[in-house]
Amino acid sequence: MEKKPNPNVRMWQGNVACAEGAIAAGCRFFAGYPITPSSEIAEVLALRFPVVGGHFIQMEDEIAAMGAVIGGSLGGAKTMTATSGPGFSLKQENIGFAAMAEVPCVIVNVQRGGPSTGLPTHAAQSDVMQARWGTHGDHPIIVLSPSSVRETYDLTVRAFNLAEKYRMPVILLSDEIIGHLTEKIEIPDPSTIEIIDRKKPIDTPENYLPYKMDDSDIPAMANFGEGYRYHVTGLAHDETGFPTNDPEKIRAQMLRLNRKIQRFRDDIVEVETFNTDDMDVLVISFGSTARSVKRAVINAREKGVKAGLLRLKTIWPFPDKEIEALYKPVRKIVVAEMNLGQIAHEVEWATRREKPVVRVNKIDGEPITPIEIYEAIIS
Amino acid sequence: MAFRYEVRLSGSGGQGLILVGKVLAEAAAIYDGLNATQSQSYGPEARGGASRSEVIISDGDIDYPKAENIDIMLALTQEACDKYVVDLKEGGILLVDSQMVTNIPKGNYRVVALPIIQSAVERLGKFLVSNIIALGIITKLSGVVSEDSVKHAIRARVPKGTEEINIKAFYTGIELAVNWLEKHGSLL
């Protein structure tokens, strides 16, 4: 008997789901430089883009790849690059350019052990702070972190939507475990996927201001090649896009740039809770480690310890309000992450150190096991 | 309570253990309608070095996707066997290549030593299909996925033109396992 499996059910790696999610979101330009453990994203897009009418280019290095992604986006495409720690370091200068010039794009960082070349084939979650502050200056950034293959697909789509909606770079912060994990995914029907495109100018080219100050805080973006000529620079600029040294204009633009995050924070931040209603112990985690936490929470509950999980799907802007809504009744907070406390530090700040924060950290490339988190919960 | 079955495939980089893991996971998840995850751990080398691939099969959600209480472990090299046997559960099955792994680590588990690589070379003339022979043995010994599903998954996954030799290798593995079971009795 020939078995007929559901054609929408696949066994995909996280990295494959990321590439397919990008295509579903409308991404048609990828520039990158291969690096473990992210290379499968480039490999899949190199094969798939010719079929769907996209363009793939392998650049000479990560810096140039980020530059190409910015250029592609200014030309009107939804663009993406994918990398890991060392490449993410190289891209920082141009990520700052994208933030300053308000160029929507998606940067995927499949985290591996660092610093430097570190652990090419092993997981880490130690680029949390780099994702926020890796490039200099007060800039807005959005960082999302998936915990499963399906969520990698969904959050890649969401990364494009947020980039387009708020005209800024969005980082998808995955890790080697999720990137290389193969699991079952039911591919969503394309008609059910929400797709957001950037706001286009309604002004004529003569009257178009690429960095116009208005109530929306998000200027309309014209594609190059459609008759709208404007200046794009990393220098502080006024509404026309040309450099300025006028403190008033600089202040207005810089405050607007950062207000995009502050004002729309509730639209951007997403978390998931598990067993948090009656909990005594709150465990906070993200990415692959959140899966270990879920198992630990179930095990603790079986032993009568009321533990709950708060999983951060958005890491930046930091979900401080969501933590605040949960932490008051608990006895203690456990933060599990594959770094030396980058999220724990933020949690201590968000909870004003009113509760003991127990850190479960690991930086040897191996995942944090459920038992290690369980022990921190019951201790 | 959902069942959770853990498989670890270990050996050296280049032996095709990640492929075997993917085929096994696809057999369970796509053709048998279960849940499955496959993950891997390897060094920076393209060839050599101890490498492992892990498959978790369950009829429920799989939260933690790594093996920690292993039901069946395959070791194709002595190094991998020594390094990775630690997580094999009490009473679990340790499947080794009888030529490559001569020093069986002490422990409370059931050992199945079979000439996997030798069978690939002598019976199929291709060292490369050792991994699929091992997959046949695991399918039979574990009983966690159906033979039919694994066969479909092999056809869908191996390079075009190599389907027949891989299916032959799969049944060579099944046969090795059947003969072993006839001699030693059921493991289930």
Side-chain angles (χ1 to χ4, degrees):
Chain A
M1 188 192 76
E2 190 64 33
K3 293 191 182 181
K4 286 266 191 295
N6 179 346
N8 292 323
V9 174
R10 304 282 175 86
M11 286 296 279
W12 274 355
Q13 219 181 52
N15 284 344
V16 175
C18 176
E20 293 291 344
I23 292 171
C27 174
R28 291 295 180 272
F29 182 81
F30 178 97
Y33 188 83
I35 181 169
T36 303
S38 78
S39 299
E40 295 82 6
I41 299 170
E43 285 170 18
V44 170
L45 289 176
L47 282 169
R48 293 274 282 125
F49 266 172
V51 181
V52 298
H55 288 89
F56 169 92
I57 184 165
Q58 180 172 324
M59 296 297 285
E60 67 267 33
D61 60 34
E62 287 91 343
I63 303 170
M66 191 61 219
V69 160
I70 291 169
S73 182
L74 288 168
K78 292 188 183 179
T79 65
M80 179 169 96
T81 188
T83 190
S84 188
F88 195 51
S89 291
L90 289 169
K91 289 181 195 293
Q92 292 302 328
E93 182 183 354
N94 274 335
I95 292 173
F97 185 96
M100 183 60 150
E102 299 180 67
V103 182
C105 54
V106 174
I107 302 104
V108 183
N109 175 2
V110 186
Q111 295 170 95
R112 68 191 221 185
S116 189
T117 24
L119 289 164
T121 59
H122 294 284
Q125 297 178 302
S126 48
D127 301 346
V128 169
M129 283 297 168
Q130 189 194 21
R132 179 65 193 92
W133 294 117
T135 196
H136 59 278
D138 285 303
H139 61 277
I141 201 87
I142 295 170
V143 181
L144 312 177
S145 174
S147 284
S148 69
V149 171
R150 172 60 200 258
E151 197 170 82
T152 303
Y153 185 96
D154 295 341
L155 289 189
T156 302
V157 172
R158 186 155 197 265
F160 278 98
N161 285 344
L162 293 172
E164 293 286 316
K165 194 169 178 184
Y166 298 118
R167 254 193 96 168
M168 68 168 86
V170 176
I171 292 161
L172 184 79
L173 200 60
S174 183
D175 59 58
E176 189 276 338
I177 295 173
I178 299 301
H180 281 164
L181 178 69
T182 296
E183 70 182 344
K184 201 169 179 172
I185 173 172
E186 185 163 358
I187 308 165
D189 180 341
S191 67
T192 64
I193 299 173
E194 186 195 15
I195 304 287
I196 298 173
D197 294 319
R198 63 191 66 169
K199 189 167 76 184
K200 307 283 289 181
I202 44 171
D203 298 321
T204 58
E206 297 73 38
N207 298 319
Y208 175 57
L209 289 171
Y211 300 100
K212 189 176 179 178
M213 300 286 299
D214 64 18
D215 291 344
S216 76
D217 282 334
I218 304 153
M221 188 173 171
N223 298 335
F224 270 89
E226 292 180 354
Y228 289 79
R229 293 176 63 200
Y230 66 100
H231 193 254
V232 183
T233 178
L235 287 166
H237 44 266
D238 60 18
E239 288 182 295
T240 66
F242 283 101
T244 178
N245 281 311
D246 181 334
E248 209 166 300
K249 288 178 176 170
I250 295 165
R251 192 186 325 116
Q253 287 288 348
M254 284 300 292
L255 290 177
R256 179 185 60 73
L257 191 69
N258 288 282
R259 197 158 59 230
K260 289 196 288 187
I261 286 288
Q262 294 145 9
R263 182 174 161 188
F264 303 105
R265 180 243 180 247
D266 289 350
D267 178 49
I268 300 166
V269 173
E270 272 189 354
V271 297
E272 185 188 83
T273 56
F274 175 69
N275 280 349
T276 53
D277 288 348
D278 61 341
M279 66 182 166
D280 292 327
V281 180
L282 167 62
V283 192
I284 299 174
S285 195
F286 64 101
S288 61
T289 305
R291 299 173 73 118
S292 301
V293 173
K294 194 170 181 188
R295 170 59 32 197
V297 163
I298 292 168
N299 291 345
R301 291 249 164 196
E302 283 166 2
K303 298 279 182 207
V305 178
K306 289 178 180 169
L309 161 65
L310 175 70
R311 184 166 71 81
L312 314 181
K313 292 167 72 174
T314 305
I315 294 182
W316 301 109
F318 194 71
D320 47 1
K321 279 206 288 197
E322 289 71 13
I323 292 171
E324 198 162 351
L326 286 173
Y327 85 92
K328 297 279 183 189
V330 307
R331 183 160 50 80
K332 69 171 175 186
I333 301 168
V334 175
V335 181
E337 50 188 329
M338 293 175 73
N339 61 54
L340 290 178
Q342 297 183 24
I343 290 285
H345 180 85
E346 290 299 310
V347 170
E348 286 174 347
W349 173 80
T351 57
R352 302 165 190 83
R353 294 181 191 254
E354 285 172 10
K355 307 283 177 181
V357 173
V358 180
R359 297 174 178 213
V360 184
N361 305 125
K362 215 165 182 179
I363 51 161
D364 57 7
E366 292 297 315
I368 301 177
T369 63
I371 203 93
E372 288 167 329
I373 298 158
Y374 172 79
E375 279 164 5
I377 292 172
I378 60 163
S379 71
Chain B
M1 186 71 190
F3 87 87
R4 180 180 167 108
Y5 195 88
E6 301 192 353
V7 183
R8 176 175 285 170
L9 309 155
S10 72
S12 94
Q15 284 181 320
L17 297 170
I18 290 175
L19 176 78
V20 166
K22 285 192 192 300
V23 171
L24 188 61
E26 283 173 5
I30 293 181
Y31 299 96
D32 274 348
L34 296 164
N35 235 334
T37 63
Q38 182 270 334
S39 65
Q40 56 233 323
S41 178
Y42 55 93
E45 315 90 344
R47 295 281 179 277
S51 118
R52 67 179 204 250
S53 165
E54 293 173 352
V55 179
I56 313 291
I57 298 170
S58 175
D59 56 355
D61 284 342
I62 299 169
D63 34 40
Y64 186 58
K66 300 278 182 179
E68 48 179 356
N69 193 31
I70 296 165
D71 292 279
I72 186 166
M73 168 166 144
L74 164 73
L76 287 181
T77 66
Q78 186 71 53
E79 185 195 358
C81 188
D82 297 343
K83 194 170 169 184
Y84 297 134
V85 77
V86 53
D87 300 315
L88 188 59
K89 76 177 188 188
E90 279 198 23
I93 303 167
L94 177 62
L95 168 65
V96 300
D97 182 276
S98 51
Q99 282 182 316
M100 299 296 285
V101 182
T102 48
N103 188 11
I104 303 290
K106 295 253 174 303
N108 183 15
Y109 33 74
R110 295 165 295 174
V111 178
V112 179
L114 289 168
I116 300 169
I117 294 171
Q118 192 190 348
S119 303
V121 175
E122 290 179 1
R123 294 175 60 177
L124 296 154
K126 220 169 180 165
F127 166 80
L128 273 178
V129 296
S130 310
N131 59 343
I132 302 294
I133 294 182
L135 175 61
I137 301 169
I138 290 165
T139 302
K140 190 72 202 174
L141 294 183
S142 70
V144 73
V145 284
S146 72
E147 282 180 34
D148 215 32
S149 295
V150 179
K151 203 172 73 184
H152 284 299
I154 290 171
R155 284 192 186 280
R157 178 57 85 161
V158 299
K160 287 262 171 295
T162 70
E163 292 92 342
E164 290 321 308
I165 187 162
N166 277 301
I167 294 296
K168 265 189 203 161
F170 177 64
Y171 280 108
T172 304
I174 298 270
E175 190 191 317
L176 285 171
V178 168
N179 291 342
W180 191 93
L181 290 170
E182 275 173 8
K183 210 165 145 192
H184 298 87
S186 170
L187 285 164
L188 300 176

